[in-house]
Amino acid sequence: MAPVPAAVQSEGVAAGEVSLPGAANAERLLRFLLALTIFLGAFLLFLIEPLFAKLILPRFGGSAAVWATCLVFFQSALLLGYWYADVTTRRLPLRRQSVLHIALLVVSFCSLPVAPRAIFHARDASYPAAQVLIVTTASIGLPFVLLSATSPLVQSWHARTLRGSQPYPLFALSNLASLLALLSFPFLIEPRISSHGQGRLWSALFVGFVGVCALTAWLASRSAPAVTTAITERAPTTAAPTFREKLLWVSLAACGSMLLLSITNHVMENVAPVPLLWVLPLALYLLTFTLAFYRRNLYSRWLMVRLLAVTLGSLGYAIYDPSFTESLQVSVPLFCAGLFLCCLFCHGELAKRRPAPGHLTSFYLVISLGGALGAILVGILAPYLFAAIYEFPLTLCLTALLAVFALWPDGWLTRAFWAAAAIGMAAVLAYNTHAYKRDSILTVRNFYGGLRVQQHRDWLKQPYRTLYHGRIEHGAQFLNPPKNLVATTYYGADSGVAKALDYFSGAPKRVGVIGLGVGTLAAYGQASDYFRFYEINPLVASIARNWFSYLGDTPAKVDIAMGDARLSLAAEPATQFDVLAVDAFSGDAIPVHLLTQEAFAVYLGHLKPGGILAIHTSNTYLNLNPVVQLLADNAGYPARLITNSDDLRKLIDASDWVLVTRNDRFLSELDATTLQEPIEVPPRLRLWTDDYNNLFEIVRPVRFHKADSN
C-alpha cells in the first residue's frame, strides 16, 4: 500500500533536457527542498496510519478488524492519490499543478488537529466496518490523499527541473522515511507521548510540511518554464501493455495486499490488536516494494522461487497443525517472515514487468488498483463471505497459482511444480475448512470474528455444546437437566469468579459481566438477583439466546447491554455492582483499552463498597496477572490470584482470575480457605494507561505442545 512504486514513475522522463537557470547554490537548495518535501510527506503518511487507527480502536471495542478496515481506507485513498497525481501531471503545467496542490493542502487544515470525527454513538451498530471507513474519511481523508499524491508529484517536479536528475535517491529516501515513521511509532512515539499529544504533534508537522512543500513548488515552477508540458508531449514509443499483462499486474498487487491483511488478521486475532503488531507486517510489506523496485539485481528469481516453495510449505503446515505456532515468539516471526518472502515474490515479479517509460503512470495506477481490491476483499468482503479466516490459506493458494503464470516461460517442469504447489495449498484450504466445520452445528462470522457452535458427547454419552471464537473456547453447556444448570469451562465452582459470587449468595446481588460468551455466569443467579451483561458482538448475543439456555434457565433478572463495555459503563450512572467480572476476549486477545488505569477507574466507580472486581487473565500468549496487579496497586486495592485446574469430565477448564477488592472479610475468608498463587511483577513493567502499554514485556516463554484440534 506504500507510495514506493510511484517514486520511480519519473524514470522515463528525460530529466537532463533542461537546466536550472539559477546559480549552483540555488540548484542545491532546490535539490534539498525536493528531498525534504518527499521525506516529510512519506514520514507523515505512514505515521498517521497507526496513530489514527489507535485513536479510534477503543470506540470499536478494540477489535482486531479495526486495523484491517483502516488498511482498506489507506489502500483506497492511495489509489485516489495516484489518480490525482497522474491526472494533474499529464494535464496541467507545473505552475498550475503546484498552485492547485498547495491550495488543497491549505484547505486540508480544516481536518486539524487530528482527532476522530463523525463518530457513531449507536450501541447496536450493524455495520461497524462502514462506520470505521466513514470516521476515517471524515477525519483524515483529504490530508491522506494529498500526502499519497505528493511523492509522485514532487518527483515529477524533480525530473522536470534538474539536469541529470535521477529518481532513485528520492525513491530510497521516500521508503526510508516511511519505514522510520512506522517503526518510530511503537518504539519511540507511543511509549512517550499521549494519544492526544501524538495528534497535536502530527498536526504541527503537517503544517510545517505544507510550508516546505509550498516553497519547493514555488522554486520548482520558476526553474523550468520551458518544460511544463514535457510529460504530456512525450508520447510512448512502444506498444501499450496488453489486457493480459495488466491483469497479471492487478493480480500480483492484489495478492500482496491480501497477504498483508490476512496474515495481520491471523496474528492479531489470537494475540492482541496493538500498534506493534500492525506496523511490523506493514513495514515488511513496504520493504519488499523497496527491494524489488530500487535495483533490479536485488531480486533474484532463481533464489526467490526456492524460498517461496519453502515458505508456502511452512505456512501451510502452520495452518494444518496450529500447535506449531502456539507461542508468540514462534508465530510472529514465522508469519512475518512468510509475509516478507511471499510479498517479495509478488512485488519482484511486478518490478520485472515494468513497461516502457511512457506507460509507467498507468502501471502504478494498476498496482494501486490491485492493492485496493485485495484490501477490500480481505478487510470488507471476507467477514461476510467466509465463516472463518479462510482468506489466509486462500491467499497462499493464490500465491502458488500466480507463480504458475508468472513463471510460465521457464518451461514445463516449472509449470508442473507450481501447479502441484497450488494443488497442495488448495488441499490445505480444504482441510482447514473441513477441520473448522467438523462437529459444528453453526458457523457464522462478522466484523468481530468467526464463531462456531459444536455439539459433542461426554464420557457418559451426555450431549453438550461449545462456543468457539477462532480456536478459543468461549463457553460450554450440557443439554440435559440437571447438568444444564451447572457452570462449566472457566467459571466452575473452584474458579475465582465463582468464589466472588458465592460470597454474596445469601442476599440479593447485583452482578455486571463484561463479555457475554454463552451466559454461563447466569448459572449462579438466584430469584432476587440481577445480572447485567455487556457485549459488543450481536452474533454472540444471538447465539447465547438461541443455542444455549443459561440466560433462559436462570431465575435471576438478566439484561444485555449492547456496545463496547467501557463506553457503556462510562455513560451509565453508578450501577453499584456487588461483583463486576471482566471477561472480554477476541480470540485469545484482550482489548488493551479494557486493562488500563482509566478503565479501572470506570470499573471501580461501579462497585459497591465491599464489592469485588474479578478479572479473567487466562491467556495463551500473555501473562496479564502483573498488569492487573499494578492497576490494583495504583488504585489502592488488594488483589488475589485464584487458579483452578481443569476437569475435562465436568467440562471445567483451568483458569486464572485476579480478584480486586477492599472487602477485608472476603479477603480473610479467601486467604483462610483457598490456595492462591503469588503475582510476580517484572521490575520494569509500567502501569498500563490509555496512552501506554507494552505487550512484549509480558509475553509468555516459548512452549510446544499439541493444541486442541478445534
Side-chain angles (χ1 to χ4, degrees):
M1 63 163 294
V4 285
V8 294
Q9 67 179 354
S10 57
E11 179 183 6
V13 178
E17 294 177 356
V18 291
S19 62
L20 192 66
N25 58 346
E27 180 174 326
R28 285 195 294 270
L29 176 61
L30 181 57
R31 287 182 182 273
F32 171 76
L33 288 175
L34 288 166
L36 180 61
T37 303
I38 285 181
F39 182 92
L40 287 176
F43 186 89
L44 289 172
L45 182 69
F46 279 83
L47 182 61
I48 192 64
E49 295 186 6
L51 189 158
F52 190 78
K54 184 185 178 184
L55 286 177
I56 67 173
L57 184 65
R59 297 179 181 268
F60 295 94
S63 171
V66 170
W67 175 244
T69 309
C70 285
L71 283 177
V72 173
F73 166 81
F74 298 146
Q75 292 276 28
S76 302
L78 182 70
L79 174 61
L80 182 58
Y82 274 38
W83 175 82
Y84 160 79
D86 175 58
V87 171
T88 56
T89 299
R90 288 188 292 105
R91 298 188 179 183
L92 295 179
L94 191 150
R95 188 181 302 271
R96 293 183 180 179
Q97 179 190 122
S98 59
V99 169
L100 173 64
H101 191 62
I102 299 305
L104 290 174
L105 284 171
V106 172
V107 171
S108 69
F109 286 171
C110 296
S111 301
L112 304 182
V114 171
R117 293 177 173 84
I119 288 290
F120 285 70
H121 294 284
R123 293 187 178 181
D124 188 13
S126 300
Y127 302 100
Q131 294 184 19
V132 172
L133 293 175
I134 292 172
V135 170
T136 309
T137 302
S139 303
I140 62 170
L142 183 57
F144 193 93
V145 170
L146 294 175
L147 285 172
S148 300
T150 295
S151 181
L153 281 178
V154 174
Q155 288 171 59
S156 70
W157 301 348
H158 180 281
R160 294 181 183 192
T161 57
L162 297 179
R163 175 175 298 167
S165 62
Q166 292 292 331
Y168 295 114
L170 296 180
F171 173 83
L173 185 65
S174 174
N175 288 278
L176 174 63
S178 302
L179 288 171
L180 287 176
L182 285 174
L183 298 179
S184 66
F185 183 79
F187 295 112
L188 297 177
I189 297 176
E190 186 187 19
R192 293 172 173 82
I193 305 176
S194 68
S195 297
H196 296 296
Q198 293 166 19
R200 291 192 296 268
L201 173 63
W202 190 93
S203 301
L205 290 174
F206 183 76
V207 172
F209 160 77
V210 173
V212 172
C213 189
L215 179 59
T216 304
W218 179 70
L219 290 177
S221 63
R222 292 182 57 196
S223 302
V227 292
T228 53
T229 59
I231 293 183
T232 58
E233 292 174 356
R234 174 176 295 272
T237 58
T238 58
T242 65
F243 175 78
R244 182 178 179 181
E245 290 172 324
K246 290 183 178 181
L247 183 60
L248 186 56
W249 296 348
V250 170
S251 300
L252 288 168
C255 184
S257 181
M258 291 172 65
L259 285 163
L260 170 64
L261 269 76
S262 60
I263 289 179
T264 303
N265 285 348
H266 185 83
V267 172
M268 287 198 304
E269 184 179 68
N270 293 307
V271 183
V274 294
L276 182 59
L277 295 182
W278 300 342
V279 302
L280 284 179
L282 183 56
L284 292 172
Y285 175 84
L286 175 64
L287 183 59
T288 62
F289 264 123
T290 306
L291 296 176
F293 282 85
Y294 184 48
R295 289 182 180 175
R296 294 179 184 272
N297 58 5
L298 289 179
Y299 175 76
S300 169
R301 175 182 282 178
W302 181 90
L303 177 62
M304 189 66 250
V305 295
R306 286 156 177 78
L307 292 176
L308 181 65
V310 175
T311 301
L312 291 178
S314 300
L315 294 177
Y317 184 77
I319 295 173
Y320 172 78
D321 183 7
S323 66
F324 181 52
T325 55
E326 184 71 15
S327 296
L328 179 64
Q329 297 92 329
V330 175
S331 61
V332 172
L334 173 67
F335 291 121
C336 284
L339 171 67
F340 175 80
L341 292 172
C342 291
C343 284
L344 184 57
F345 167 76
C346 293
H347 300 155
E349 291 301 314
L350 276 172
K352 280 185 171 294
R353 286 165 171 77
R354 272 188 301 190
H359 302 290
L360 281 179
T361 302
S362 62
F363 175 60
Y364 293 120
L365 280 173
V366 170
I367 289 179
S368 300
L369 175 62
L373 291 175
I376 291 171
L377 177 60
V378 176
I380 301 297
L381 299 180
Y384 300 97
L385 295 176
F386 307 131
I389 304 184
Y390 298 145
E391 59 267 25
F392 182 23
L394 178 63
T395 305
L396 297 182
C397 184
L398 175 62
T399 304
L401 191 61
L402 283 175
V404 176
F405 295 100
L407 305 176
W408 190 268
D410 290 357
W412 284 104
L413 185 60
T414 300
R415 299 172 197 169
F417 174 82
W418 285 106
I423 294 173
M425 290 299 101
V428 170
L429 172 61
Y431 174 82
N432 182 249
T433 304
H434 172 73
Y436 186 81
K437 292 185 176 181
R438 186 172 55 232
D439 298 322
S440 296
I441 57 177
L442 176 70
T443 57
V444 290
R445 181 183 176 189
N446 63 4
F447 178 83
Y448 300 102
L451 300 167
R452 54 184 167 148
V453 178
Q454 292 189 338
Q455 186 157 317
H456 305 276
R457 291 185 179 273
D458 69 354
W459 63 293
L460 293 175
K461 306 301 181 182
Q462 294 297 310
Y464 67 93
R465 289 176 179 172
T466 305
L467 172 65
Y468 288 93
H469 180 244
R471 294 188 293 111
I472 307 303
E473 186 179 34
H474 273 211
Q477 182 181 24
F478 288 103
L479 298 184
N480 298 331
K483 284 188 173 183
N484 64 317
L485 299 176
V486 177
T488 61
T489 61
Y490 313 108
Y491 318 102
D494 293 328
S495 66
V497 68
K499 295 185 180 300
L501 292 170
D502 286 343
Y503 177 80
F504 294 101
S505 60
K509 58 181 178 289
R510 296 176 63 85
V511 179
V513 183
I514 298 178
L516 173 61
V518 301
T520 309
L521 286 178
Y524 292 97
Q526 299 172 351
S528 56
D529 295 341
Y530 172 71
F531 278 68
R532 183 171 177 82
F533 291 89
Y534 296 87
E535 177 59 49
I536 194 171
N537 190 344
L539 284 181
V540 171
S542 175
I543 290 173
R545 290 190 180 104
N546 298 318
W547 295 87
F548 297 86
S549 64
Y550 282 122
L551 298 179
D553 292 341
T554 181
K557 179 182 178 181
V558 174
D559 281 338
I560 300 178
M562 298 304 303
D564 178 73
R566 179 172 163 182
L567 296 178
S568 297
L569 285 169
E572 296 174 355
T575 313
Q576 296 293 292
F577 290 123
D578 294 291
V579 177
L580 178 58
V582 181
D583 184 28
F585 291 86
S586 176
D588 217 20
I590 293 180
V592 172
H593 75 291
L594 295 181
L595 281 180
T596 65
Q597 180 184 15
E598 294 81 358
F600 245 58
V602 173
Y603 303 152
L604 297 176
H606 281 268
L607 283 180
K608 289 181 180 178
I612 303 170
L613 177 63
I615 311 289
H616 189 191
T617 57
S618 305
N619 194 278
T620 303
Y621 299 103
L622 309 175
N623 180 16
L624 295 168
N625 297 322
V627 175
V628 178
Q629 181 69 64
L630 281 182
L631 292 169
D633 291 343
N634 178 74
Y637 277 70
R640 300 289 190 272
L641 172 60
I642 308 299
T643 64
N644 66 276
S645 302
D646 54 18
D647 187 340
L648 299 182
R649 290 190 172 186
K650 296 181 179 180
L651 303 185
I652 300 297
D653 295 316
S655 66
D656 296 342
W657 288 85
V658 178
L659 306 182
V660 179
T661 183
R662 287 177 176 168
N663 189 323
D664 293 333
R665 179 181 174 185
F666 171 74
L667 291 175
S668 297
E669 293 182 6
L670 197 66
D671 294 341
T673 60
T674 304
L675 183 64
Q676 303 172 27
E677 295 288 337
I679 301 178
E680 297 182 5
V681 180
R684 295 185 178 181
L685 182 64
R686 284 175 52 187
L687 182 73
W688 281 17
T689 68
D690 287 347
D691 294 325
Y692 173 82
N693 57 78
N694 192 326
L695 176 70
F696 283 94
E697 287 183 349
I698 58 169
V699 172
R700 294 188 184 277
V702 178
R703 53 179 178 165
F704 296 93
H705 61 81
K706 190 68 176 179
D708 187 346
S709 60
N710 291 321

